[in-house]
Amino acid sequence: MKTSTINAVIIFVTAILLQSCASPYYYQVYDVETEGMQCEKNVVLFSNGDCDIVYDLWGEAGNLGFFFRNNTDEDIFIDLSRSFFIRNGIAYDYFVDAEYTQSVTAMSGASASLSASYTQLWHELPMWTPTVVTRGAQVTANGSVGTASSITTKEARYICVPAKSAKFITGFNISDYVYNNGEDSKLDWPKRESRRVVYSKDESPLVFRNKICYFVGESEEGTSIDNSFWVSGFTNYNGREFYVENIKSDCNNSAIKTKVKIHKYRSPKRFYNEYKFKGASVASSFW
């Protein structure tokens, strides 16, 4: 066999092996900026004296669920009928006056992640166990359930947050679209990461808000909070670049070690979407 033919075969086989080792998944990671809020101990925090509102956007498609902490000596009533998730100017109702039947076993997803961050932020108040309001079921922050596994309930218009306590309110996903601005040539198959695309607030393709209305005690005058966010940029990553592997020791037996994948770019002011470029639904906007 000629040397040139052998070299060609080697190159071909090497390419196949490299492709088989590569992750078939890619990740678009979005950076988010806010107004009137600060990033503290792995959460995004809004505070106005009456209450603290805590966010952690991280997760696939993001989520605008939040902890609402009542700092007053009276009950606070969140009026869901006057509270909205607003994305690119389109408002979605928090209150839909529906009935729900569901099984509840544990807290999961965004609420579990945010609960851990919340506990870290206010670790000096261990007696506070926030309740998770999940549209028809309530689960404590440690994932335990105090009622039957199947619950049917009618959605309440008002959520009462007792004095000096907190509740988690499930929110809307931010966006599940993979975005292509037409300029990022490495959207397809980034080997490590593509060039980061950057936006000002006025240029951002995705602006979203939580408008939350509440009443303190017996007051007839409501307070409206408008927590505003926008995507300030995004980067596409190869799956092998998106995760970092770490070795975790078993709590009961240090000799037992497991490989775990950790999100390399995790931040409470980021979220991501997973895609396969071939056959992926790539959008020109976040609508």
Side-chain angles (χ1 to χ4, degrees):
M1 187 179 291
K2 292 182 179 180
T3 303
S4 59
T5 305
I6 294 173
N7 290 339
V9 171
I10 292 172
I11 292 171
F12 176 76
V13 171
T14 303
I16 294 295
L17 290 173
L18 288 173
Q19 186 174 1
S20 66
C21 292
S23 169
Y25 293 100
Y26 300 84
Y27 298 86
Q28 192 164 85
V29 178
Y30 313 93
D31 297 305
V32 175
E33 292 298 327
T34 65
E35 281 186 347
M37 287 173 274
Q38 57 185 337
C39 195
E40 184 177 341
K41 291 187 179 178
N42 297 321
V43 296
V44 178
L45 174 66
F46 168 87
S47 184
N48 69 353
D50 287 344
C51 64
D52 295 323
I53 298 178
V54 182
Y55 295 96
D56 182 357
L57 309 185
W58 183 256
E60 187 165 8
N63 192 278
L64 220 59
F66 57 95
F67 268 112
F68 188 102
R69 177 188 179 188
N70 180 355
N71 293 326
T72 74
D73 294 322
E74 300 182 78
D75 293 345
I76 285 182
F77 298 88
I78 302 173
D79 186 349
L80 293 182
S81 70
R82 296 169 61 183
S83 300
F84 306 92
F85 168 67
I86 304 168
R87 179 174 58 201
N88 283 355
I90 305 298
Y92 301 86
D93 298 308
Y94 268 99
F95 178 69
V96 293
D97 196 22
E99 284 191 358
Y100 297 89
T101 301
Q102 64 185 77
S103 295
V104 183
T105 54
M107 184 190 300
S108 61
S111 59
S113 172
L114 185 49
S115 175
S117 299
Y118 176 91
T119 303
Q120 180 184 359
L121 182 59
W122 284 294
H123 60 87
E124 71 277 11
L125 297 172
M127 72 292 292
W128 287 18
T129 303
T131 298
V132 183
V133 179
T134 56
R135 299 293 205 287
Q138 293 185 346
V139 188
T140 59
N142 61 10
S144 62
V145 181
T147 57
S149 60
S150 182
I151 302 172
T152 300
T153 185
K154 188 174 179 63
E155 183 179 25
R157 172 182 170 180
Y158 294 97
I159 292 175
C160 178
V161 185
K164 306 299 184 184
S165 68
K167 284 188 177 181
F168 178 81
I169 315 298
T170 55
F172 290 85
N173 285 344
I174 299 166
S175 174
D176 59 0
Y177 287 113
V178 176
Y179 185 71
N180 183 4
N181 68 345
E183 298 176 5
D184 188 0
S185 60
K186 291 186 180 179
L187 173 63
D188 51 333
W189 314 111
K191 292 181 180 179
R192 292 181 65 82
E193 64 181 74
S194 64
R195 176 178 60 85
R196 182 172 180 266
V197 181
V198 181
Y199 301 102
S200 66
K201 182 180 180 182
D202 293 336
E203 298 169 333
S204 177
L206 179 58
V207 178
F208 53 100
R209 302 148 48 200
N210 255 348
K211 184 174 182 181
I212 304 163
C213 178
Y214 68 86
F215 297 82
V216 179
E218 300 299 322
S219 172
E220 295 182 359
E221 184 176 348
T223 300
S224 186
I225 293 171
D226 205 327
N227 292 153
S228 179
F229 308 78
W230 70 92
V231 168
S232 60
F234 68 82
T235 309
N236 296 295
Y237 294 96
N238 181 284
R240 294 170 66 86
E241 174 66 13
F242 182 68
Y243 290 104
V244 60
E245 286 190 345
N246 200 2
I247 304 298
K248 183 179 179 181
S249 298
D250 188 278
C251 295
N252 300 316
N253 187 346
S254 58
I256 301 175
K257 301 185 184 299
T258 334
K259 272 189 179 181
V260 293
K261 283 186 173 181
I262 298 173
H263 290 122
K264 190 173 179 180
Y265 302 98
R266 194 194 192 292
S267 165
K269 292 174 67 177
R270 287 180 180 150
F271 67 98
Y272 67 91
N273 279 309
E274 178 186 274
Y275 69 94
K276 283 185 175 181
F277 185 75
K278 285 187 177 179
S281 176
V282 180
S284 58
S285 73
F286 280 99
W287 286 86

